[in-house]
Structure formats: C-alpha cells, structure tokens
Amino acid sequence: MTNVRTNWIDRLAAAPRAAITSAMVPHRFAKGALIYSRTEAPQGLYVIRSGEAAFCLDGANGRHLLLKVLRTNELFGESVALDRRSAPVSVEARSELLTGMVPLHRLDPLRRQYAEIDAALSLVAAANLRGVLDVLEEQALLPLAERTVNRLLALCRDEGWGDGQAGPVRLELSQSELAAMLGASRQAVNGELALLEARGAVRRGFRFIEVLPGQL
C-alpha cells in the first residue's frame, strides 16, 4: 500500500501551478548522495519525481535523528525559500533520486507575482513546526515502547492506512532506520519489535516491517 500524495503545488490554481512547473530544472542524485547539510543553504525548492530521500536532524556528536523518509511527489527546501538561512536539517538520497528543482532566483519573482505561493509556503512552515514539536514531545516525554507504537502507526497512515481498515501494512523501512527515527539504539528497538512480533502485531523482514495496525 503506497500512497502518492498531492503536494501544495498540486493544489495551487492552474496559473501559479504551471508557472512553478515550468521553472523546474531536473536534478539527479546517486544513492547515498548528500543533497545538502545543516551548514549550507539549498539551491532551491525540490520536488521528488522518483526515488526516496532521508530527512535528518544531525547532531554534533555524529548521531542523527531520522525525521522522515520523503517519497515521490513530496517536497523539501521550503524553509530556506522563506528565510534564506542555512537548512535546519540535512537531506540525503536514500535511493537513486530524480527531482525537479525550482532555483531560488526563479522562485522569488513567482512569490511576488502569485500571493498564494507565499501563503502556501507559510502554511507548510507552520505544519513543519508542528511536526517537529510532535517529535520533540515523543523524544522527551514518552517511553520507547510507546514511541515505537506511535511511530509505526504514523508510518502506516503515511502509507494510506486509516482507522478501521484491515492490515497488514508493509513499511519499506529497515530496523536501523526505525531506530534512527526513535532516537534509540538498534538493539533497544529490536527488543520492542520482538515483543510486538510475539503478539502478532508486526513481522520483521529484510529492510521491511509488516504491521497489523489493529494489533498495536
């Protein structure tokens, strides 16, 4: 079950949507390529055409918190489009990645021409802030067992699962990546997954986790 979502560009009126689309230039990245880090400003606004990207918060000690795996038709780079500061996160190609990128020097006049583009960017920034606060709340206040269940349910919803629907939901995610999302060691997260597997809520495989959301 893979859900290709519409993004905020898709929801614009025809004229600004066409203007942004025509301003895009293709960029291809090899698997593992660092698209940008927290010490640099992205070149523009990126839309994923195919492949996946890892959206991470990196610490000075070399550890990182995987905030999200971005997939087809998702965007990144909006915050820099607003404030021109260095990126708050790093983005890495999780697979071979093809993007459409709107360079900032092309995006700026479009923002001035179409007020709804600026409004959409502001809404995205607010949504991203709420998302970060949710992650901080989990990390600071919840035990690992509860964090694990909450994150698995959130990932199932990202894949199109809704309350009342039957599973299973296959998450194309390794146990190491889930651990990086939870800010915990792989061993600790494997222990939590083993408990869930014992009661039939999950099944672990090579680089995937199959979840029965109703059993969590």
Side-chain angles (χ1 to χ4, degrees), residues 108-147:
D108 285 344
L110 295 179
R111 290 174 59 193
R112 290 191 292 269
Q113 183 177 359
Y114 299 105
E116 64 185 286
I117 293 178
D118 228 29
L121 284 169
S122 298
L123 287 174
V124 168
N128 288 344
L129 175 60
R130 289 180 181 275
V132 169
L133 290 174
D134 288 343
V135 170
L136 291 177
E137 180 183 12
E138 282 193 359
Q139 295 295 321
L141 302 178
L142 298 181
L144 180 58
E146 195 170 346
R147 298 207 310 270

Side-chain angles (χ1 to χ4, degrees), residues 6-216:
T6 58
N7 59 45
W8 61 263
I9 294 176
D10 297 329
R11 294 188 289 271
L12 294 172
R17 184 172 69 247
I20 285 189
T21 301
S22 66
M24 289 181 187
V25 292
H27 277 248
R28 188 179 297 274
F29 301 92
K31 180 180 179 179
L34 181 64
I35 300 169
Y36 55 78
S37 70
R38 294 182 70 189
T39 60
E40 55 190 321
Q43 298 176 1
L45 178 68
Y46 294 82
V47 183
I48 297 178
R49 296 307 188 196
S50 65
E52 298 175 346
F55 195 69
C56 301
L57 186 62
D58 299 312
N61 57 4
R63 296 180 61 189
H64 72 273
L65 185 67
L66 178 58
L67 297 174
K68 190 175 182 183
V69 174
L70 300 168
R71 296 188 168 90
T72 301
N73 212 38
E74 294 191 275
L75 292 98
F76 56 93
E78 288 108 333
S79 62
V80 178
L82 282 171
D83 63 17
R84 291 298 193 278
R85 298 176 61 186
S86 297
V89 296
S90 66
V91 181
E92 179 180 306
R94 186 173 181 255
S95 64
E96 184 175 341
L97 186 68
L98 177 63
T99 69
M101 191 268 280
V102 184
L104 294 179
H105 72 271
R106 294 186 181 180
L107 183 61
D108 285 344
L110 295 179
R111 290 174 59 193
R112 290 191 292 269
Q113 183 177 359
Y114 299 105
E116 64 185 286
I117 293 178
D118 228 29
L121 284 169
S122 298
L123 287 174
V124 168
N128 288 344
L129 175 60
R130 289 180 181 275
V132 169
L133 290 174
D134 288 343
V135 170
L136 291 177
E137 180 183 12
E138 282 193 359
Q139 295 295 321
L141 302 178
L142 298 181
L144 180 58
E146 195 170 346
R147 298 207 310 270
T148 302
V149 169
N150 285 356
R151 186 53 57 95
L152 289 173
L153 287 172
L155 291 169
C156 288
R157 286 190 289 269
D158 285 344
E159 293 296 323
W161 172 80
D163 291 335
Q165 293 180 352
V169 179
R170 183 182 170 106
L171 304 176
E172 302 295 338
L173 187 79
S174 72
Q175 294 167 56
S176 294
E177 288 173 321
L178 179 61
M181 286 183 166
L182 296 170
S185 71
R186 186 179 186 277
Q187 292 79 5
V189 172
N190 281 348
E192 297 297 335
L193 289 173
L195 293 173
L196 293 172
E197 192 167 39
R199 71 175 203 236
V202 305
R203 183 173 71 86
R204 292 175 289 176
F206 179 66
R207 296 192 65 80
F208 77 87
I209 302 170
E210 196 172 76
V211 182
L212 283 166
Q215 302 297 318
L216 288 175

